[in-house]
């Protein structure tokens, strides 16, 4: 693939343009007139070519040893590691997060590849005692086959890799459909797999609209499983389509993640973690802190400290070394954030900091917004119930831990949650009673280590788990074997 601003699809071992002849543009949200790259507007016919290639190639790939498959993942990891600077800079230009965050995410992608490369030598079954003394019974695992991978723009390196790496190590072929807003970064990741020497047809990359390519993966009869990360509405649509034809699906969707600050919390630590968890990546994380539930005894002190610290944040181009927070990813996302800020005010919450579009000091060409802090928030307000995907913090005052947990659980989502307390009994109560797939104590709500299972409760997921050893459950099927001598 030549290093040009127009990127092709990668199908069956070749970089090829779409049959539509049309391309879309990926724009720099810090400088909206700057084109980062052009991507293919692919058709259903292009997608079918990718799926057919994957289906044919997977039949041989699954017969390779786990060690052989892992060896290629190790090579891909080395290649990606050698390109961290290039990939991270592209990520920052394409979706806006700061360069240090982009470098950290790319390094995480390297680590994920190496983790799953090692999984090629792990056991894939168990011996089970039989009641028949003349029989031998055990389980083994079979790869699903072709896996459709639909990924969002907010983690354009880590999320594709944490889906593709386990799919590949367990013997599947993949068809990746990245979000258009991060398609160029995804192409650079795919280049690492290509150069690592994966057989043709095993790794495929195709760009285009969700309605054509994403829905097409969900509908295609040769796609055995679809793993999706994105909004809950689209996720439910994908899941229903896959289920209707008897396929397997995995959905990671939205969050409305709370942090509870108890009256015995280290307030400085809680403030720092609330800011990091809620405002890094411009709040564009599914695990980002959005509801800040604070005990009334320390509410005013916490609020004062929070506002003071947030007021120090420098918003700007993610490539600028002094920028702590970058732009929203697109004009539409910026509009969504600003509309929720207006809705918060209309519904009676008190905006005590920020919330304006930033256009001065050279920011007029980008999609910048001040971090927003709301006071006097009722748990039924839109800003306390709906995922905003922006730098908006809603402060909610409570009386005691029981009320705090009830408020925290008052959501259709259940992805992540955190608490700040020095009391072990309170920690254990929170861990037991919090309806979230990821609970963290004295740490921000955003973030999970790559070797740990990740996923949500309620409408945040389809109740499966990604990452760690848990990934094998989705990307394989168990086969029970009974042998009679």
């Amino acid at each position: 693939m030549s290093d040009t601003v127009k990127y092709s699809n990668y199908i069956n071992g070749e970089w090829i343009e779409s049959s539509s002849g049309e391309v879309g543009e990926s724009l720099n949200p810090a400088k909206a007139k700057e084109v980062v790259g052009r991507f293919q507007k692919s058709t259903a016919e292009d997608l079918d070519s990718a799926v057919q290639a994957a289906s044919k190639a997977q039949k041989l790939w699954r017969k390779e040893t786990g060690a052989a498959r892992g060896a290629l993942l190790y090579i891909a990891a080395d290649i990606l590691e050698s390109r961290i600077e290039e990939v991270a800079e592209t990520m920052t230009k394409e979706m806006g997060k700061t360069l240090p965050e982009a470098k950290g995410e790319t390094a995480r992608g390297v680590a994920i590849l190496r983790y799953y490369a090692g999984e090629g030598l792990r056991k894939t079954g168990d011996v089970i005692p039989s009641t028949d003394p003349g029989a031998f019974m055990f389980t083994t695992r079979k790869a699903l086959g072709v896996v459709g991978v639909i990924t969002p723009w907010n983690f354009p390196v880590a999320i594709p890799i944490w889906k593709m790496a386990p799919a590949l190590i367990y013997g599947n072929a993949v068809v990746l459909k990245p979000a258009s807003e991060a398609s160029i970064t995804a192409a650079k990741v795919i280049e690492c797999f290509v150069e690592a020497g994966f057989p043709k047809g095993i790794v495929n990359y195709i760009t285009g609209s969700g309605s054509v390519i994403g829905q097409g993966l969900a509908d295609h009869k040769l796609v055995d499983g679809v793993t999706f990360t994105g909004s809950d509405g689209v996720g439910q649509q994908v899941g229903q389509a896959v289920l209707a034809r008897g396929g397997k699906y995995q959905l990671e969707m939205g969050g409305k993640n709370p942090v509870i600050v108890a009256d015995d919390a280290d307030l400085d630590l809680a403030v720092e973690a609330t800011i990091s968890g809620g405002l890094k990546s411009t709040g564009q994380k599914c695990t980002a802190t959005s509801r800040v539930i604070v005990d009334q005894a320390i509410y005013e002190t916490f609020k004062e400290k929070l506002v003071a610290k947030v007021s120090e944040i420098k918003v700007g181009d993610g490539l600028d070394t002094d920028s702590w927070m970058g732009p929203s990813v697109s004009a539409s996302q910026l509009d969504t954030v600003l509309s929720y800020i207006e809705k918060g005010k209309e519904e009676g919450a008190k905006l005590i900091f920020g919330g304006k579009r930033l256009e001065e000091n050279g920011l007029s060409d980008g999609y910048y917004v001040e971090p927003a802090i709301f006071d006097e928030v009722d748990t039924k307000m839109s800003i306390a119930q709906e995922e905003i995907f922006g730098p908006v913090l809603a402060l909610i005052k409570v009386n005691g831990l029981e009320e705090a947990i009830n408020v925290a659980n008052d959501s259709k989502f259940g992805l992540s949650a955190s608490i700040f307390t020095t009391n072990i009994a309170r920690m254990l109560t929170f861990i037991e009673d919090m309806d979230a797939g990821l609970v963290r104590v004295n740490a921000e709500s955003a973030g999970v280590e790559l070797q740990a299972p990740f996923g949500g409760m309620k409408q945040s997921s389809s109740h499966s788990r990604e990452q760690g050893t848990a990934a094998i459950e989705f990307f394989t099927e168990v086969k029970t074997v009974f042998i009679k001598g």
Side-chain angles (χ1 to χ4, degrees):
M1 176 177 176
S2 60
D3 186 18
T4 65
V5 295
K6 183 167 76 171
Y7 291 79
S8 297
N9 293 325
Y10 185 72
I11 297 174
N12 200 27
E14 294 184 90
W15 293 99
I16 56 176
E17 296 186 3
S18 169
S19 59
S20 73
E22 298 179 9
V23 295
E25 292 183 338
S26 182
L27 304 176
N28 182 347
K31 302 172 183 176
K33 296 178 182 178
E34 179 183 315
V35 177
V36 180
R38 294 178 173 84
F39 59 88
Q40 302 298 311
K41 289 188 174 182
S42 303
T43 65
E45 290 74 22
D46 299 326
L47 175 62
D48 185 62
S49 295
V51 173
Q52 294 282 356
S55 181
K56 180 179 179 181
Q58 192 270 337
K59 293 175 175 60
L60 292 176
W61 177 247
R62 65 183 173 87
K63 294 182 179 180
E64 292 281 359
T65 65
R69 295 193 292 261
L72 293 178
L73 287 178
Y74 277 124
I75 296 171
D78 291 344
I79 295 169
L80 180 60
E81 186 173 47
S82 73
R83 299 178 183 175
I84 283 180
E85 296 288 339
E86 175 193 350
V87 173
E89 183 175 336
T90 301
M91 187 193 310
T92 295
K93 286 181 177 180
E94 190 169 32
M95 56 75 58
K97 69 174 60 175
T98 64
L99 190 57
E101 288 183 89
K103 288 180 180 179
E105 180 185 336
T106 308
R108 179 187 176 96
V110 173
I112 294 168
L113 286 167
R114 289 179 177 149
Y115 176 89
Y116 282 110
E119 288 298 291
L121 294 176
R122 308 290 184 193
K123 70 170 187 173
T124 56
D126 295 289
V127 174
I128 302 170
S130 173
T131 57
D132 186 336
F136 178 53
M137 187 163 60
F138 64 96
T139 62
T140 185
R141 285 184 178 270
K142 176 181 179 295
L144 276 184
V146 176
V147 175
V149 178
I150 304 174
T151 57
W153 46 260
N154 60 330
F155 286 91
V157 172
I159 292 180
I161 287 177
W162 86 42
K163 293 175 182 292
M164 292 173 61
L168 292 167
I169 197 64
Y170 298 130
N172 300 284
V174 299
V175 179
L176 170 64
K177 187 269 181 231
S180 296
E181 296 90 340
S183 56
I184 309 307
T185 306
K188 290 185 176 294
V189 171
I190 292 298
E191 287 179 330
C192 298
F193 286 88
V194 173
E195 293 182 32
F198 279 82
K200 69 176 185 178
I202 297 303
V203 175
N204 302 275
Y205 158 87
I206 183 168
T207 56
S209 70
S211 60
V212 175
I213 305 304
Q215 191 62 44
L217 282 169
D219 292 336
H220 204 295
K221 64 181 181 181
L222 292 181
V223 176
D224 300 284
V226 175
T227 175
F228 167 93
T229 297
S231 70
D232 55 311
V234 175
Q236 290 171 13
Q237 183 178 339
V238 168
Q240 289 167 3
V242 178
L243 178 64
R245 60 177 180 80
K248 193 174 182 181
Y249 64 90
Q250 177 184 63
L251 312 175
E252 290 301 336
M253 298 176 286
K256 194 66 185 173
N257 311 297
V259 56
I260 294 173
V261 185
D263 60 8
D264 64 332
D266 179 331
L267 294 189
D268 291 331
L269 176 63
V271 165
E272 290 290 347
T274 298
I275 293 171
S276 178
L279 304 181
K280 275 192 173 178
S281 294
T282 321
Q284 299 172 139
K285 298 180 182 180
C286 56
T287 54
T289 301
S290 57
R291 294 180 293 151
V292 187
I293 303 165
V294 186
D295 190 275
Q296 62 184 12
I298 46 89
Y299 185 88
E300 294 299 328
T301 303
F302 176 87
K303 180 174 68 174
E304 181 180 331
K305 287 176 175 285
L306 180 68
V307 171
K309 282 289 185 181
V310 172
S311 68
E312 298 173 0
I313 289 176
K314 172 69 165 58
V315 179
D317 190 331
L319 293 178
D320 293 342
T321 56
D322 59 345
S323 293
W324 190 91
M325 192 180 91
S328 296
V329 71
S330 65
S332 63
Q333 187 60 37
L334 174 63
D335 289 344
T336 296
V337 173
L338 293 173
S339 70
Y340 270 107
I341 291 170
E342 288 305 310
K343 188 178 292 186
K345 292 188 288 186
E346 291 168 2
E347 293 182 357
K350 183 180 180 181
L351 182 64
I352 60 173
F353 182 85
K356 300 188 299 293
R357 179 168 186 177
L358 296 174
E359 298 182 283
E360 298 178 353
N361 301 316
L363 302 183
S364 60
D365 289 337
Y367 306 129
Y368 297 98
V369 62
E370 271 186 307
I373 303 175
F374 278 96
D375 192 8
E376 301 178 12
V377 176
D378 182 271
T379 189
K380 299 303 181 184
M381 292 178 178
S382 298
I383 60 171
Q385 288 293 324
E386 299 173 19
E387 186 176 40
I388 300 172
F389 233 57
V392 181
L393 299 174
L395 300 182
I396 303 173
K397 186 188 297 184
V398 294
N399 182 13
L401 182 62
E402 182 178 355
E403 183 183 359
I405 292 176
N406 287 339
V407 169
N409 281 331
D410 183 16
S411 172
K412 68 179 181 179
F413 298 113
L415 187 53
S416 67
S418 66
I419 189 171
F420 286 83
T421 180
T422 56
N423 184 291
I424 293 177
R426 287 175 169 177
M427 296 177 190
L428 295 176
T429 299
F430 169 79
I431 292 167
E432 175 68 21
D433 294 346
M434 191 66 227
D435 296 333
L438 171 66
V439 294
R440 290 161 64 85
V441 177
N442 295 323
E444 67 181 71
S445 65
V448 62
E449 296 190 32
L450 63 92
Q451 69 273 25
F454 175 69
M457 297 180 179
K458 298 190 277 191
Q459 291 187 33
S460 285
S461 83
S462 57
H463 310 288
S464 61
R465 292 295 180 263
E466 298 189 278
Q467 299 197 112
T469 57
I472 197 172
E473 299 299 333
F474 177 74
F475 293 108
T476 66
E477 293 183 297
V478 174
K479 184 181 292 186
T480 301
V481 181
F482 182 91
I483 301 175
K484 180 74 172 179

PDB file of all heavy atoms in Angstrom, residues 4 41 71 126 158 182 185 204 210 213 226 230 243 251 315 337 413 445 454:
ATOM      1  N   THR A   4      -0.068   7.314   0.606  1.00  0.00           N
ATOM      2  CA  THR A   4      -0.776   8.445   0.019  1.00  0.00           C
ATOM      3  C   THR A   4      -1.957   8.795   0.912  1.00  0.00           C
ATOM      4  O   THR A   4      -2.259   8.097   1.881  1.00  0.00           O
ATOM      5  CB  THR A   4      -1.300   8.108  -1.389  1.00  0.00           C
ATOM      6  OG1 THR A   4      -2.278   7.081  -1.273  1.00  0.00           O
ATOM      7  CG2 THR A   4      -0.182   7.637  -2.295  1.00  0.00           C
ATOM      8  N   LYS A  41     -15.631   4.320   0.083  1.00  0.00           N
ATOM      9  CA  LYS A  41     -17.060   4.154   0.374  1.00  0.00           C
ATOM     10  C   LYS A  41     -17.493   2.843  -0.274  1.00  0.00           C
ATOM     11  O   LYS A  41     -17.911   2.803  -1.436  1.00  0.00           O
ATOM     12  CB  LYS A  41     -17.858   5.331  -0.173  1.00  0.00           C
ATOM     13  CG  LYS A  41     -17.646   6.626   0.599  1.00  0.00           C
ATOM     14  CD  LYS A  41     -18.609   7.711   0.127  1.00  0.00           C
ATOM     15  CE  LYS A  41     -18.517   8.962   0.992  1.00  0.00           C
ATOM     16  NZ  LYS A  41     -19.489  10.003   0.553  1.00  0.00           N
ATOM     17  N   ALA A  71       2.994 -16.718  16.532  1.00  0.00           N
ATOM     18  CA  ALA A  71       4.247 -16.168  16.016  1.00  0.00           C
ATOM     19  C   ALA A  71       3.989 -14.954  15.131  1.00  0.00           C
ATOM     20  O   ALA A  71       4.742 -13.965  15.157  1.00  0.00           O
ATOM     21  CB  ALA A  71       5.013 -17.240  15.240  1.00  0.00           C
ATOM     22  N   ASP A 126     -10.618 -29.519  28.498  1.00  0.00           N
ATOM     23  CA  ASP A 126     -10.482 -30.201  29.784  1.00  0.00           C
ATOM     24  C   ASP A 126     -10.872 -31.661  29.643  1.00  0.00           C
ATOM     25  O   ASP A 126     -11.744 -32.015  28.840  1.00  0.00           O
ATOM     26  CB  ASP A 126     -11.390 -29.554  30.839  1.00  0.00           C
ATOM     27  CG  ASP A 126     -10.988 -28.130  31.155  1.00  0.00           C
ATOM     28  OD1 ASP A 126      -9.933 -27.943  31.786  1.00  0.00           O
ATOM     29  OD2 ASP A 126     -11.729 -27.203  30.763  1.00  0.00           O
ATOM     30  N   ALA A 158      -6.629   0.337  20.055  1.00  0.00           N
ATOM     31  CA  ALA A 158      -6.825  -0.671  21.095  1.00  0.00           C
ATOM     32  C   ALA A 158      -8.040  -1.557  20.841  1.00  0.00           C
ATOM     33  O   ALA A 158      -7.950  -2.789  20.965  1.00  0.00           O
ATOM     34  CB  ALA A 158      -6.939   0.005  22.464  1.00  0.00           C
ATOM     35  N   ALA A 182     -12.195   7.159  12.083  1.00  0.00           N
ATOM     36  CA  ALA A 182     -10.883   6.631  12.491  1.00  0.00           C
ATOM     37  C   ALA A 182     -10.350   5.619  11.481  1.00  0.00           C
ATOM     38  O   ALA A 182      -9.520   4.781  11.815  1.00  0.00           O
ATOM     39  CB  ALA A 182     -10.972   5.990  13.875  1.00  0.00           C
ATOM     40  N   THR A 185      -6.348   5.663  10.813  1.00  0.00           N
ATOM     41  CA  THR A 185      -5.587   5.019  11.890  1.00  0.00           C
ATOM     42  C   THR A 185      -5.730   3.506  11.796  1.00  0.00           C
ATOM     43  O   THR A 185      -4.740   2.767  11.940  1.00  0.00           O
ATOM     44  CB  THR A 185      -6.093   5.509  13.256  1.00  0.00           C
ATOM     45  OG1 THR A 185      -6.052   6.934  13.297  1.00  0.00           O
ATOM     46  CG2 THR A 185      -5.235   4.944  14.376  1.00  0.00           C
ATOM     47  N   ASN A 204      -8.942  -8.914   6.849  1.00  0.00           N
ATOM     48  CA  ASN A 204      -9.550  -8.067   5.828  1.00  0.00           C
ATOM     49  C   ASN A 204     -10.016  -6.769   6.467  1.00  0.00           C
ATOM     50  O   ASN A 204     -10.459  -6.750   7.621  1.00  0.00           O
ATOM     51  CB  ASN A 204     -10.735  -8.781   5.185  1.00  0.00           C
ATOM     52  CG  ASN A 204     -10.356 -10.104   4.557  1.00  0.00           C
ATOM     53  OD1 ASN A 204      -9.917 -10.174   3.414  1.00  0.00           O
ATOM     54  ND2 ASN A 204     -10.515 -11.186   5.313  1.00  0.00           N
ATOM     55  N   GLY A 210     -22.036   2.590   8.026  1.00  0.00           N
ATOM     56  CA  GLY A 210     -22.554   1.553   8.907  1.00  0.00           C
ATOM     57  C   GLY A 210     -23.771   0.864   8.340  1.00  0.00           C
ATOM     58  O   GLY A 210     -23.962  -0.351   8.515  1.00  0.00           O
ATOM     59  N   ILE A 213     -21.983  -1.456   5.301  1.00  0.00           N
ATOM     60  CA  ILE A 213     -20.949  -2.420   5.679  1.00  0.00           C
ATOM     61  C   ILE A 213     -21.217  -3.015   7.065  1.00  0.00           C
ATOM     62  O   ILE A 213     -21.136  -4.234   7.253  1.00  0.00           O
ATOM     63  CB  ILE A 213     -19.553  -1.766   5.635  1.00  0.00           C
ATOM     64  CG1 ILE A 213     -19.312  -1.143   4.250  1.00  0.00           C
ATOM     65  CG2 ILE A 213     -18.477  -2.810   5.943  1.00  0.00           C
ATOM     66  CD1 ILE A 213     -19.459  -2.103   3.096  1.00  0.00           C
ATOM     67  N   VAL A 226     -20.258 -11.684  15.131  1.00  0.00           N
ATOM     68  CA  VAL A 226     -19.990 -10.249  15.014  1.00  0.00           C
ATOM     69  C   VAL A 226     -19.680  -9.703  16.396  1.00  0.00           C
ATOM     70  O   VAL A 226     -20.449  -9.897  17.341  1.00  0.00           O
ATOM     71  CB  VAL A 226     -21.191  -9.485  14.414  1.00  0.00           C
ATOM     72  CG1 VAL A 226     -20.919  -7.981  14.429  1.00  0.00           C
ATOM     73  CG2 VAL A 226     -21.469  -9.960  12.989  1.00  0.00           C
ATOM     74  N   GLY A 230     -19.949   0.205  20.255  1.00  0.00           N
ATOM     75  CA  GLY A 230     -20.549   1.436  19.763  1.00  0.00           C
ATOM     76  C   GLY A 230     -21.752   1.803  20.608  1.00  0.00           C
ATOM     77  O   GLY A 230     -21.864   1.399  21.766  1.00  0.00           O
ATOM     78  N   LEU A 243     -28.763 -12.411  15.453  1.00  0.00           N
ATOM     79  CA  LEU A 243     -29.577 -13.440  16.109  1.00  0.00           C
ATOM     80  C   LEU A 243     -30.611 -14.018  15.163  1.00  0.00           C
ATOM     81  O   LEU A 243     -30.871 -15.232  15.165  1.00  0.00           O
ATOM     82  CB  LEU A 243     -30.259 -12.832  17.332  1.00  0.00           C
ATOM     83  CG  LEU A 243     -31.201 -13.763  18.118  1.00  0.00           C
ATOM     84  CD1 LEU A 243     -30.425 -14.920  18.724  1.00  0.00           C
ATOM     85  CD2 LEU A 243     -31.929 -12.983  19.206  1.00  0.00           C
ATOM     86  N   LEU A 251     -21.751  -7.543  22.070  1.00  0.00           N
ATOM     87  CA  LEU A 251     -21.999  -6.109  22.009  1.00  0.00           C
ATOM     88  C   LEU A 251     -21.428  -5.421  23.244  1.00  0.00           C
ATOM     89  O   LEU A 251     -21.745  -5.803  24.374  1.00  0.00           O
ATOM     90  CB  LEU A 251     -23.507  -5.826  21.935  1.00  0.00           C
ATOM     91  CG  LEU A 251     -24.321  -6.618  20.909  1.00  0.00           C
ATOM     92  CD1 LEU A 251     -25.801  -6.290  21.071  1.00  0.00           C
ATOM     93  CD2 LEU A 251     -23.844  -6.310  19.493  1.00  0.00           C
ATOM     94  N   VAL A 315      -7.284  23.480  26.889  1.00  0.00           N
ATOM     95  CA  VAL A 315      -7.931  22.826  25.750  1.00  0.00           C
ATOM     96  C   VAL A 315      -7.267  23.305  24.470  1.00  0.00           C
ATOM     97  O   VAL A 315      -7.054  24.504  24.278  1.00  0.00           O
ATOM     98  CB  VAL A 315      -9.436  23.152  25.716  1.00  0.00           C
ATOM     99  CG1 VAL A 315     -10.096  22.477  24.513  1.00  0.00           C
ATOM    100  CG2 VAL A 315     -10.115  22.717  27.012  1.00  0.00           C
ATOM    101  N   VAL A 337     -22.882  17.452  22.255  1.00  0.00           N
ATOM    102  CA  VAL A 337     -22.430  17.890  23.575  1.00  0.00           C
ATOM    103  C   VAL A 337     -23.079  19.224  23.947  1.00  0.00           C
ATOM    104  O   VAL A 337     -23.618  19.388  25.055  1.00  0.00           O
ATOM    105  CB  VAL A 337     -20.897  17.997  23.615  1.00  0.00           C
ATOM    106  CG1 VAL A 337     -20.431  18.614  24.937  1.00  0.00           C
ATOM    107  CG2 VAL A 337     -20.259  16.625  23.417  1.00  0.00           C
ATOM    108  N   PHE A 413     -27.785   1.758  32.091  1.00  0.00           N
ATOM    109  CA  PHE A 413     -26.445   1.258  31.820  1.00  0.00           C
ATOM    110  C   PHE A 413     -25.807   0.662  33.077  1.00  0.00           C
ATOM    111  O   PHE A 413     -26.209   0.970  34.197  1.00  0.00           O
ATOM    112  CB  PHE A 413     -25.552   2.376  31.300  1.00  0.00           C
ATOM    113  CG  PHE A 413     -26.002   2.988  30.005  1.00  0.00           C
ATOM    114  CD1 PHE A 413     -26.443   4.308  29.945  1.00  0.00           C
ATOM    115  CD2 PHE A 413     -25.997   2.248  28.836  1.00  0.00           C
ATOM    116  CE1 PHE A 413     -26.856   4.880  28.761  1.00  0.00           C
ATOM    117  CE2 PHE A 413     -26.410   2.801  27.630  1.00  0.00           C
ATOM    118  CZ  PHE A 413     -26.844   4.124  27.595  1.00  0.00           C
ATOM    119  N   SER A 445     -13.160   5.766  37.056  1.00  0.00           N
ATOM    120  CA  SER A 445     -14.044   4.769  36.449  1.00  0.00           C
ATOM    121  C   SER A 445     -13.515   4.251  35.121  1.00  0.00           C
ATOM    122  O   SER A 445     -13.844   3.136  34.700  1.00  0.00           O
ATOM    123  CB  SER A 445     -15.441   5.362  36.229  1.00  0.00           C
ATOM    124  OG  SER A 445     -15.399   6.415  35.269  1.00  0.00           O
ATOM    125  N   PHE A 454     -13.520  -7.593  30.459  1.00  0.00           N
ATOM    126  CA  PHE A 454     -14.142  -6.280  30.352  1.00  0.00           C
ATOM    127  C   PHE A 454     -15.506  -6.407  29.705  1.00  0.00           C
ATOM    128  O   PHE A 454     -15.659  -7.032  28.661  1.00  0.00           O
ATOM    129  CB  PHE A 454     -13.273  -5.334  29.520  1.00  0.00           C
ATOM    130  CG  PHE A 454     -13.914  -3.988  29.280  1.00  0.00           C
ATOM    131  CD1 PHE A 454     -14.081  -3.092  30.313  1.00  0.00           C
ATOM    132  CD2 PHE A 454     -14.372  -3.644  28.020  1.00  0.00           C
ATOM    133  CE1 PHE A 454     -14.688  -1.857  30.103  1.00  0.00           C
ATOM    134  CE2 PHE A 454     -14.973  -2.412  27.786  1.00  0.00           C
ATOM    135  CZ  PHE A 454     -15.134  -1.514  28.842  1.00  0.00           C
TER     136      PHE A 454
END
